[in-house]
Amino acid sequence: MIIPPPPREARGLLGFCEQACAVVAAAERVLLASHVFPEADSVGSEAALARHLTRLGKQVRVRNPSPVQEIYRFLAELSGLPGAAWDDGPGELPAHDLVIVVDVSDWDYMGPLGPRVRASSAPKILFDHHQSRAPEGALALIDTEASSTGEVLYRYFLATGAPIDPPMAGALYASLLFDTGSFRLRNTRDETLLIAAELIRLGASHTETVARLFENESFSRVELLTAALTRVVSEVEGRLAWTFLPGDMFRRTGTTAADADGVIDHMMSIRGVELAVLFRELPGCGVKVTFRSKGGCDVGRLARRLGGGGRPTAAGVTLEKPLEASIGEVLPHAREQARGGAPA
Ligand SMILES: [Mn+2]
């Protein structure tokens, strides 16, 4: 079974593929990068791309602004790259003649790595599904209707005739499964499920991916989750739920901000909640604010108003302010959105 790329974007897709293939063909050393706190979509996309590029004879390196968490390391392994090729951190970029950035369409979402990527004279390619403007000078394939960057990449591989082997299928499947919240979120479309089915046919294991991503919590992550959930505040007649995690909570439980990724899903699981907000105090670099909506409120717009970005149902911003000041700045906007997002 072959799923053709959808006609609504076929022309844009084919034009992009033609240009991207030419740029890739001309490069020898390819650098892959993504956003701060890379998760299953970004690491899965990097792994699938790394495998694809290695097969094309390229030398591939991966550099994310922050390390790949333990729970996503199985995805990095699917890339087939030696561990040394994944040298995360904000430092100097390794030598390269092409940069491919995934799950990011604004250099600002790459933290301290952003200015280095921006300053690189090498050609740049972006694959993404977030709503924002592609930076000048980059060749971009951005489909805001796609569930995940993994889905965008699947279409790219299909359109360019690149074979998808079982590890690539596994990595892309993890991208889809994670970014759709196990096919629960509203970005789950008919095409998402068709592509997921095709990835299983190509060798992805649903059972194994679920076990790795969702049945693999450490005790300290559960402690962190408990701390976050005991603080949940319900406002606007239950339509808004928010909570926060101060920096010392991460120190006490031996976790990092990224370990709190699941907290927002629990707030969204509360009946009547339309909008959820999670504040995470980062060590020495402000507060990461994450927004989620069930569709009634546009949190992408909310995040952009605060200087961040994202999709209507999932968005975020990092504020260079203390925790209390960040909460004070964001909550009035969130309340307003939660009120406006009330069903008629
Ligand atoms: Mn994503």
Side-chain angles (χ1 to χ4, degrees):
M1 177 181 64
I2 298 281
I3 301 161
R8 71 180 154 80
E9 62 179 49
R11 206 177 299 147
L13 177 71
L14 295 180
F16 168 87
C17 289
E18 207 173 291
Q19 291 182 61
C21 285
V23 173
V24 169
E28 252 174 59
R29 299 159 305 173
V30 185
L31 179 67
L32 305 182
S34 189
H35 51 76
V36 251
F37 305 126
E39 24 64 315
D41 188 24
S42 36
V43 182
S45 296
E46 287 172 335
L49 259 179
R51 225 176 153 84
H52 162 71
L53 294 164
T54 307
R55 289 167 70 149
L56 293 177
K58 312 295 172 189
Q59 279 176 48
V60 184
R61 297 280 297 267
V62 188
R63 167 66 68 82
N64 293 311
S66 40
V68 174
Q69 290 179 77
E70 181 73 47
I71 196 163
Y72 305 130
R73 226 160 279 158
F74 77 102
L75 293 171
E77 278 160 23
L78 291 177
S79 71
L81 296 178
W86 294 73
D87 58 342
D88 298 316
E92 287 289 333
L93 300 181
H96 61 276
D97 29 44
L98 168 64
V99 188
I100 304 184
V101 174
V102 295
D103 210 35
V104 165
S105 41
D106 187 322
W107 308 138
D108 290 345
Y109 305 157
M110 301 184 74
L113 207 58
R116 295 196 193 278
V117 169
R118 192 199 308 258
S120 164
S121 57
K124 299 167 191 85
I125 299 179
L126 302 171
F127 291 96
D128 192 25
H129 65 119
H130 298 100
Q131 209 156 31
S132 43
R133 244 164 14 117
E136 298 255 320
L139 191 56
L141 184 60
I142 300 171
D143 180 358
T144 55
E145 306 242 305
S147 65
S148 52
T149 300
E151 189 177 322
V152 176
L153 273 179
Y154 171 84
R155 290 219 187 80
Y156 171 74
F157 293 144
L158 194 71
T160 56
I164 297 177
D165 67 7
M168 282 168 77
L172 295 176
Y173 189 78
S175 289
L176 266 72
L177 191 71
F178 183 83
D179 263 24
T180 57
S182 307
F183 307 124
R184 282 188 297 118
L185 300 179
R186 278 149 188 78
N187 57 357
T188 308
R189 298 170 306 149
D190 51 356
E191 284 165 34
T192 318
L193 295 170
L194 284 168
I195 293 172
E198 180 65 5
L199 291 172
I200 288 177
R201 202 190 61 84
L202 290 169
S205 162
H206 175 73
T207 311
E208 198 187 316
T209 315
V210 166
R212 293 276 203 169
L213 290 179
F214 305 117
E215 296 166 356
N216 203 11
E217 294 290 359
S218 66
F219 190 79
S220 42
R221 274 171 63 106
V222 175
E223 267 187 294
L224 188 71
L225 174 67
T226 308
L229 293 182
T230 48
R231 293 162 205 246
V232 172
V233 180
S234 169
E235 290 192 40
V236 194
E237 288 155 11
R239 282 198 284 272
L240 170 66
W242 64 274
T243 190
F244 62 97
L245 283 165
D248 71 332
M249 191 51 70
F250 298 109
R251 277 190 295 277
R252 222 182 306 156
T253 51
T255 54
T256 64
D259 287 311
D261 279 347
V263 169
I264 202 137
D265 297 318
H266 288 270
M267 289 195 281
M268 290 300 281
S269 74
I270 303 169
R271 189 192 308 131
V273 167
E274 285 295 325
L275 172 57
V277 190
L278 168 65
F279 297 89
R280 283 176 263 195
E281 190 177 24
L282 308 173
C285 45
V287 175
K288 182 178 160 74
V289 190
T290 310
F291 301 104
R292 218 38 109 53
S293 153
K294 286 180 182 160
C297 318
D298 184 346
V299 290
R301 203 171 54 196
L302 169 61
R304 280 191 294 281
R305 212 186 299 159
L306 295 158
R311 288 178 283 114
T313 52
V317 61
T318 301
L319 299 171
E320 309 292 326
K321 285 182 181 180
L323 182 59
E324 262 182 63
S326 299
I327 294 174
E329 177 175 344
V330 170
L331 278 184
H333 295 279
R335 289 183 189 118
E336 187 194 311
Q337 277 271 332
R339 278 189 206 107

